[in-house]
Amino acid sequence: MQVSQALDVMEALLRAAEHPDIVSVSRYGRDTTPGGQSPAGVAVMHRSSDTRALLTAAVPPRDATPVPLPTEPLPMKWRAARILVFAHQLLDAAKPDPFSGWELCRQPGTHGPVAAAIRITARDGSVIYLRGLAASGSMREPETDHYPDYQIPQGVQSWHLSPSAPSAEPASV
């Protein structure tokens, strides 16, 4: 599986999620493989602050170790970890056909509070490693989650990626 295909899935799932704190979902970067000068990824802009949470394609480190999905909500200031957890939850709900598995990972040398990345295994056996990053702006992160009762909508569970589509839209429910 190519990085762009995995990012198509993640972008479509983030859009299908219809999270009220997400203002926009966009793609960035020109590289077609991880490790280049312009890494590809998906950016999420938040309503509650001017922070962008990023899922950026990276070369999978050999020493990345799986970590469990947190059971408690993470603080708003942990945007990088929150986007990784949210991506994992979306994958759990959608179970996209192109992927056979996914797990949060920690790696030595990073100081993420929960995980540094999500490792996705495609059905063809390839591995896509998406680092969680945050690019903060001038606004301060809120102390509390403005949307603590958010639930992943049914449309995510019934979402499917069309193999011929360059990007996908959520299925109607």
Side-chain angles (χ1 to χ4, degrees):
M1 170 172 270
Q2 295 180 3
V3 168
S4 63
Q5 293 169 309
L7 293 174
D8 284 345
V9 172
M10 294 312 304
E11 179 183 13
L13 287 175
L14 287 162
R15 289 182 191 281
E18 299 176 351
H19 194 291
D21 194 36
I22 294 177
V23 176
S24 67
V25 178
S26 60
R27 292 283 282 277
Y28 63 90
R30 296 182 310 274
D31 292 342
T32 57
T33 58
Q37 295 294 319
S38 180
V42 177
V44 174
M45 180 61 82
H46 295 278
R47 182 179 318 280
S48 60
S49 71
D50 56 354
T51 300
R52 289 186 317 151
L54 311 168
L55 293 173
T56 301
V59 175
R62 292 176 193 229
D63 53 0
T65 55
V67 293
L69 189 64
T71 56
E72 297 295 320
L74 301 177
M76 298 296 286
K77 65 183 177 181
W78 293 357
R79 288 286 184 187
R82 284 177 63 97
I83 194 64
L84 291 167
V85 169
F86 190 48
H88 193 286
Q89 292 167 335
L90 291 172
L91 289 167
D92 282 348
K95 296 177 181 34
D97 292 335
F99 301 157
S100 61
W102 44 89
E103 60 189 347
L104 295 176
C105 294
R106 179 173 295 143
Q107 65 189 68
T110 61
H111 301 288
V114 174
I118 187 164
R119 180 171 37 210
I120 299 169
T121 303
R123 292 234 180 262
D124 67 5
S126 58
V127 173
I128 308 296
Y129 191 78
L130 300 176
R131 293 277 318 263
L133 303 168
S136 61
S138 60
M139 289 175 60
R140 185 180 165 149
E141 289 289 349
E143 293 295 320
T144 59
D145 189 342
H146 294 304
Y147 309 98
D149 298 327
Y150 167 80
Q151 298 288 317
I152 294 174
Q154 185 63 33
V156 171
Q157 285 92 347
S158 61
W159 174 88
H160 296 282
L161 180 66
S162 167
S164 61
S167 62
E169 292 299 322
S172 298
V173 177

